[in-house]
Amino acid sequence: MSRRPSHPVRLLASALAAGALLTTAACSDDAGGSGAASDTAAQARAAEQDAARKAPTDSPTGSATGSPTGSPGASVLTESGAKAALLTEADLEDDWNRVQDADKWRDRLLVGEVDVSDFLTAKTDAADCQKLLDSLYRDDLLGETSGPSALTGFEQGDSRLLEQVAGYDRAGLDDRLKWLDSLPQKCDEFTATDDNGEKRTVQVTESSVPDLGDAREGLHVTVRGTAADTPATLTLDVAAVRVGTSALTITGGGLDGDEISSVEQGARQGTERLKTVLNGGTPSPQPTNLD
C-alpha cells in the first residue's frame, strides 16, 4: 500500500506544478515575449517559497534542520564524535586505568535462567528480568544502536567501569529508558540458575542519577552466587543518560563492592563530553569541574 504524501510535500508539489504550468503558458504566448517569461518564473519562485513557509517545522527530529529535540543546537552523532565523547582517565577520580579489551568483558555471574516460579502473579515480569540479566551480560541495556557507537572501559582493583556512547532511534530509546525505570518494581528480587544448576539471587533497586541530559535512569543490581567455588557477590551500578537521540551508559562495580560515586562522576563528565561533541566542540583533555 503506498503512503499518502505528507502535507509539506503536497504543498511543495503543488507549488512546483503551478510554476510549471505558468512557465508553459508563458512560452506558448507569442505576444508575451521574454518579459512575460521572466514574470512567470518569478511567480513560480514566489509560489515555491510560500509553500516552504507554510510547511511545518516539526520534522521527525523536532526541527527544520533535523536537530535532535531536547538539546538546543545538538547535532547528529558521528563515529568520530562518539569516540571523542568517551571518558578518559582524567575524567575519573581515584585510580581508574583505561584498558584496551573492554569490549570483551563478560561476567559469568550474570549468566542464568530466571526462575519463573518466583513470579506467581506476573509471568511477564520474569521475561523482563531475564532481559535485564542478558542485557547486562551483553552490555546493551539501551538496546540496539541505530547510529555510531563507541565503548571504553577502566579497571581499579577487582572493579570495572564500562561506558558506551551511541546514537539510537528516539522512540526506541525512550521506551528502553521507561523499561529501566520499571525494573526495580518488576525485578525486586528473583533467582536465576546457571547451566550447572548453581543458583544466583538477584536484587534490583533504583539508583540515583544526577539531573543530567534530557532524560536519565539508574539501577543498582546485586548478584549473589559462587565464583571459582567461592561465595561471591557482584555489585553493579548503572547510569543511562539521553542527550537528544544519543545516549551514554555507564556500568560500574565488581566483586569489591559498588562504585556508585565513580558511576555518578562518570555520568557527569560523560554527559558534558557528549554535549560538547554534539554542539560541534572538542572535549577538554583536562576537565576543570572535578570535585
Side-chain angles (χ1 to χ4, degrees):
M1 180 181 294
S2 61
R3 295 181 60 187
R4 185 180 180 184
S6 64
H7 184 59
V9 173
R10 294 200 302 274
L11 284 172
L12 184 56
S14 298
L16 293 175
L21 289 174
L22 288 170
T23 303
T24 302
C27 292
S28 62
D29 188 352
D30 294 335
S34 60
S38 177
D39 291 343
T40 301
Q43 292 172 358
R45 287 195 297 272
E48 183 176 347
Q49 292 168 356
D50 183 61
R53 285 194 298 270
K54 292 178 181 178
T57 59
D58 54 342
S59 63
T61 51
S63 73
T65 58
S67 297
T69 60
S71 297
S75 63
V76 176
L77 188 67
T78 63
E79 193 72 41
S80 60
K83 293 178 180 178
L86 291 174
L87 293 168
T88 67
E89 290 180 0
D91 293 302
L92 300 171
E93 297 176 323
D94 300 328
D95 298 316
W96 292 101
N97 298 306
R98 188 172 182 271
V99 299
Q100 299 298 323
D101 60 349
D103 59 324
K104 298 181 176 62
W105 283 350
R106 296 293 183 270
D107 199 307
R108 297 295 300 175
L109 279 173
L110 294 169
V111 177
E113 183 176 348
V114 172
D115 188 347
V116 180
S117 65
D118 287 347
F119 304 86
L120 298 177
T121 60
K123 301 296 184 182
T124 55
D125 290 354
D128 282 312
C129 301
Q130 186 68 63
K131 183 178 176 180
L132 169 62
L133 285 183
D134 295 343
S135 296
L136 284 170
Y137 182 76
R138 296 191 305 260
D139 300 318
D140 61 355
L141 277 171
L142 293 182
E144 293 294 326
T145 64
S146 64
S149 65
L151 181 146
T152 191
F154 305 83
E155 288 184 336
Q156 179 178 252
D158 287 334
S159 294
R160 292 174 172 177
L161 189 144
L162 184 77
E163 181 199 25
Q164 183 181 33
V165 174
Y168 296 87
D169 169 73
R170 172 61 187 277
L173 180 55
D174 285 342
D175 287 344
R176 203 73 175 201
L177 288 170
K178 290 178 182 177
W179 172 71
L180 288 177
D181 182 58
S182 71
L183 294 178
Q185 181 176 356
K186 291 179 176 180
C187 306
D188 176 32
E189 182 171 329
F190 62 93
T191 304
T193 306
D194 69 7
D195 293 338
N196 298 321
E198 294 186 0
K199 300 283 188 180
R200 286 99 156 80
T201 300
V202 184
Q203 290 181 310
V204 182
T205 57
E206 182 181 358
S207 179
S208 64
V209 179
D211 187 12
L212 302 168
D214 300 321
R216 66 220 61 83
E217 291 295 341
L219 291 177
H220 179 80
V221 181
T222 59
V223 183
R224 297 193 303 273
T226 58
D229 297 324
T230 302
T233 298
L234 173 67
T235 305
L236 297 175
D237 285 289
V238 179
V241 180
R242 176 178 71 80
V243 180
T245 57
S246 304
L248 61 96
T249 310
I250 298 180
T251 305
L255 299 179
D256 281 349
D258 68 72
E259 293 291 347
I260 182 61
S261 61
S262 294
V263 170
E264 289 184 357
Q265 181 67 40
R268 289 191 184 92
Q269 296 300 119
T271 301
E272 287 304 312
R273 293 181 69 90
L274 180 56
K275 284 183 175 180
T276 298
V277 166
L278 292 175
N279 288 326
T282 301
S284 171
Q286 293 296 329
T288 59
N289 58 342
L290 292 177
D291 294 335

